[in-house]
Amino acid sequence: MDKAVQRIIKAIQGEEKTVIYSDYDTDGIPAGVALHDFFKKTGFKNFTNYIPHRHDEGFGLNEDAIRAFIEDGVKLLITIDCGIADVEHVKLAQENGIDVIVTDHHIPGAVLPPAFAIVNPKQADCQYPEKMLCGAGVIYKVIQGVLARERFGIKEGWEKWLLDMIGIATLSDMVPLVGENRVFAYYGLAVLRKSPRKGLVRLLQKLKIDQRYLTEDDIGFMIGPRINAASRMGVPMDA
């Protein structure tokens, strides 16, 4: 976490070209939104969100995307909800001047990718007590880690407004709703009931869901599947 936090702060302060590379499901997509909003709040602008195409690119990192990032002069690549198994692709990026921070919650294999830093509570030597975070939960901890070191003028407690996205991901990714995940789900719903996000508000209106009384069932059976549908039927960036 320390290495990841220091590298992200360096990228923000140096306006280094950065890519947020998140999975195409209802864990990775809201998590990518959360990091996007955090970067915007710090005043950082030199970043893009990238979500691979489920059918054309498959799960995780892929060579064509990495080569495009190299060509584009990217200096930092942050994975969300993927990357722990992508040893060769991380190696390719690192050897060509891109520092890779892998944030993931999937079980690591026998060989870890040679990333600049890996944040994954399921690593054998990780002391973090909550092992069952989803990908969005992990990136939220990274955001908290950055803010613990450098607030970039952001008001204390602002980060709670990102919990609408973390809540959607936690409820959709079927992680056990105990411990910290229960906190994310509970306060995520509290923020979702007040969220001003235009896309979310319109989606709830279309589904005839009263936002003030949004429940976990609404997320699990109405919202989550529609976010997922983008990658299954078309382009995940639409979500």
Side-chain angles (χ1 to χ4, degrees):
M1 180 64 89
D2 282 342
K3 280 189 79 177
V5 162
Q6 287 168 7
R7 186 65 188 84
I8 290 168
I9 290 170
K10 180 172 176 269
I12 294 170
Q13 291 174 339
E15 279 290 327
E16 295 181 54
K17 186 169 274 194
T18 299
V19 171
I20 299 168
Y21 193 110
S22 62
D23 187 26
Y24 43 63
D25 68 1
T26 315
D27 183 6
I29 291 172
V33 172
L35 189 56
H36 168 281
D37 289 1
F38 171 64
F39 277 167
K40 288 276 192 190
K41 190 71 176 174
T42 68
F44 183 44
K45 294 185 178 69
N46 198 15
F47 74 93
T48 53
N49 281 72
Y50 188 96
I51 306 171
H53 193 285
R54 182 190 289 264
H55 306 296
D56 297 347
E57 297 176 86
F59 177 74
L61 299 171
N62 67 86
E63 187 174 338
D64 288 348
I66 298 293
R67 293 205 180 277
F69 300 152
I70 294 164
E71 193 76 22
D72 204 28
V74 170
K75 295 299 177 197
L76 178 62
L77 173 62
I78 303 169
T79 76
I80 300 178
D81 192 27
C82 62
I84 199 68
D86 298 322
V87 177
E88 291 305 315
H89 297 124
V90 170
K91 185 180 176 188
L92 176 64
Q94 288 286 158
E95 286 175 348
N96 285 275
I98 301 176
D99 282 337
V100 182
I101 296 173
V102 171
T103 78
D104 204 346
H105 70 121
H106 296 102
I107 297 168
V111 180
L112 292 175
F116 180 87
I118 299 174
V119 185
N120 183 339
K122 290 195 178 83
Q123 287 182 95
D125 60 345
C126 181
Q127 300 299 306
Y128 196 69
E130 182 53 78
K131 300 296 181 187
M132 297 304 289
L133 295 171
C134 66
V138 174
I139 203 64
Y140 190 73
K141 303 316 295 185
V142 172
I143 291 167
Q144 287 183 314
V146 172
L147 287 169
R149 184 73 54 90
E150 173 61 65
R151 289 212 66 91
F152 296 100
I154 298 170
K155 192 176 163 191
E156 192 80 37
W158 169 84
E159 57 272 24
K160 70 176 176 287
W161 296 111
L162 301 175
L163 287 173
D164 54 353
M165 294 295 102
I166 311 306
I168 285 177
T170 300
L171 287 162
S172 299
D173 213 48
M174 305 302 288
V175 291
L177 293 183
V178 295
E180 195 163 16
N181 286 333
R182 195 168 193 84
V183 176
F184 284 152
Y186 180 86
Y187 287 102
L189 280 167
V191 175
L192 278 162
R193 289 169 186 145
K194 299 177 180 178
S195 179
R197 294 181 191 275
K198 288 179 185 175
L200 188 65
V201 170
R202 289 292 295 277
L203 185 57
L204 291 170
Q205 287 170 349
K206 195 171 178 64
L207 297 172
K208 296 182 170 53
I209 294 170
D210 189 331
Q211 185 174 355
R212 296 169 300 169
Y213 306 110
L214 194 70
T215 69
E216 62 273 23
D217 275 2
D218 296 327
I219 302 301
F221 295 101
M222 304 292 274
I223 304 298
R226 282 167 171 81
I227 295 172
N228 258 335
S231 72
R232 292 200 165 98
M233 299 172 72
V235 182
M237 283 298 284
D238 288 349

